[in-house]
Structures are given as C-alpha cells and as structure tokens.
Amino acid sequence: MEKITHPYVRKSVFSGVLDRNLRKLEGRLGVDLSIRGDSLIVDGPPKKVEFAKLYFEKMSELEDRGCSLREEDFHIALDLLEGGNSQALESYFPAEAICLSRKSVNPKSLNQQEYIQAIRGFDLVFGIGPAGTGKTYLAMAMALTFLQEKQVNRIILTRPAVEAGEKLGFLPGDLYQKINPYLRPLYDALFDLTQTDQANRLIERGIIEIAPLAFMRGRTLNDSYIILDEAQNTTREQMKMLLTRAGFGSKVVVTADITQIDLPQPKRSGVLEALRILASIPEVAFIHFNEKDVVRHPLVQKIIKAYDRAEPKPIKDR
C-alpha cells in the first residue's frame, strides 16, 4: 500500500459525483484508490502502483503549473501517459470548452480532443469508431460553434437511408414521415445542444437542413458545414458524390462505425474505400476512436470489447 499526499485530492472534480471519477480511475489504473484527509491511498500490484504514482505526480505537476483540471482532463492525461507520450503530457493544457446556448461541451478523451482540433484545422475530417464515442455529437457541437461564429452560413446534416435489418418502406405517410426515423439521431443531437425553439427556427429558415443523402445529388454547397453521419452505409458512388458537393468555404465531417455496416455487400462500403483512396492526401484528417472514448453507460465499453473479441479473425493469405 502506498500513500500519496496531494492538495488536489480533496477536490470534487477529482473524485467526481459520488466518487464516480475516482472509481473510473481505479478501473483504468488497476489499483484501489481511497482518500483519507489530504492523502490519496493507492493499493494494488507493485507495477500498477508504480505507474499510478507516476501518473499522480504528473497530474500534480500540471496543477502546479496552473492548469485548472476538469474531470475529463484526468483521463486525457492518462491516455497520453499510457501511450508513452509523457513529453506531450508535460506540455498538456486543458482544451477550451465548446460553449453553446444550451450547454458547454468538453472533450472526454484524447481522441475526442484531437477530433475537435482536426475539425478546427481541416476542411475534411473522418471520425471512425464504435457507437457512443461522440463522433456525431461533437461534430454537431462544432457545427453550431462555426455557425455561431459566422464561419459558415448553414449546416447540412445528412445520412444514408439504409435499413438496419428492419423493413420500414411499407409504413404509411408522406416522404418526410418515411425518412424521419433515419434522421432522428441527428435531431436528437441538435436538440440536446441548443434550445428547441431556436433549433426549430433555424430549420424553418433553412439555416439547418436535415435530409437523406440522396437529396444532396447535383448540389454545390458553399459556406456550409456538412455532416455525413452513418457513412459506413454509403456506397462508393454516394461517398464520392457527397465529398464533391463541398464548395468554397465549406467543411465536411464524415462519421462512421465500420463494425456496423448494414449494406448487402459490406466490403463495398463507401467509407472503407474513401479511407484507402484519401489516406495520402495531407489536407484530410482521420481520427480513430476506440472503446476508451465511449461516453455512454460504462457497460457499453465492455460490450464493444466483447464483440471485438468475438469477431472472426481474418485469414491471412499464405
């Protein structure tokens, strides 16, 4: 058992609500953590305890340097240290929050932070990873920021209308009623980030447009922020069509979960081909998420890991 004394251990941001953050750090570090007065007690296997001591020393150095650490910063710093990037950790500074009318949004992991930075710096960004990693949510938050800062004039939200095993085409109603279920996740993210009446006004005025991918054909979108969601379900032709819609002053963010392709021929997914074809273009950013970036129920991380383990391994050619 090791005892570490740091002045910040009593802060609620470190332990989290009902010690939630402390328990999460325990799971990641593989040690038992408890706070007694001004001391942090670390108990566990010697190697893990040593790593935990190094980690908390680095966090203390960040605080001494004047960094005002948030709960998520503890995990971003741990990502850096686990990746052997202690030099980057020494120069780490908490990212600015994305401030919107309804709430502020902070990156919860290193990959999420790099995703936000990529969206700021590149005109075409691919966010690839499993469900719950914030790909669409952060892309939407950044879209509203760009609109708020008048860097774009409108937001275009689109996704392919591909059925994930369910047959919805027979449902009654007009075209809008038939396609609305496919677009609902985009509405959910939008209304969670901004006031409902404000979002509705922007939609009514055409400043925010939410439409199936097929509606993008033949258009040139200038001064627009375009999000292509669920891109793993695009065909080669659809992906090329969308990527060539971008006009002057436009930004495109493509999100995809390549483990959940619903096309009849998954290997022909437009996003898989785009990743291969565009990899050599330096003006295109690719951010890959993993289970560490999941910000949903903690069980989701374990579910993703379990499915990854159960996936059949590709047979190598001899």
Side-chain angles (χ1 to χ4, degrees), residues 146-165:
F146 272 74
L147 185 65
Q148 189 173 274
E149 296 174 353
K150 296 183 169 37
Q151 295 187 49
V152 297
N153 294 331
R154 58 179 169 166
I155 298 171
I156 311 291
L157 310 172
T158 187
R159 58 178 358 208
V162 174
E163 295 162 343

Side-chain angles (χ1 to χ4, degrees), residues 77-187:
L78 185 51
D79 288 342
L80 285 167
L81 197 60
E82 285 178 335
N85 206 340
S86 59
Q87 186 175 357
L89 177 56
E90 288 168 6
S91 60
Y92 174 76
F93 198 82
E96 290 185 17
I98 303 172
C99 297
L100 301 169
S101 60
R102 186 171 181 178
K103 62 166 64 175
S104 293
V105 179
N106 297 306
K108 305 292 186 184
S109 69
L110 180 61
N111 286 331
Q112 288 192 0
Q113 184 161 296
E114 291 180 347
Y115 185 50
I116 290 172
Q117 291 171 343
I119 292 173
R120 291 191 189 279
F122 291 80
D123 288 337
L124 175 56
V125 178
F126 285 79
I128 310 297
T133 50
K135 305 182 300 294
T136 303
Y137 193 80
L138 291 174
M140 183 75 75
M142 289 300 294
L144 293 168
T145 299
F146 272 74
L147 185 65
Q148 189 173 274
E149 296 174 353
K150 296 183 169 37
Q151 295 187 49
V152 297
N153 294 331
R154 58 179 169 166
I155 298 171
I156 311 291
L157 310 172
T158 187
R159 58 178 358 208
V162 174
E163 295 162 343
E166 304 89 354
K167 300 297 181 182
L168 303 176
F170 67 88
L171 293 175
D174 57 22
L175 180 61
Y176 173 80
Q177 291 169 324
K178 284 180 180 292
I179 65 176
N180 190 55
Y182 296 107
L183 305 175
R184 195 70 250 169
L186 294 171
Y187 283 102

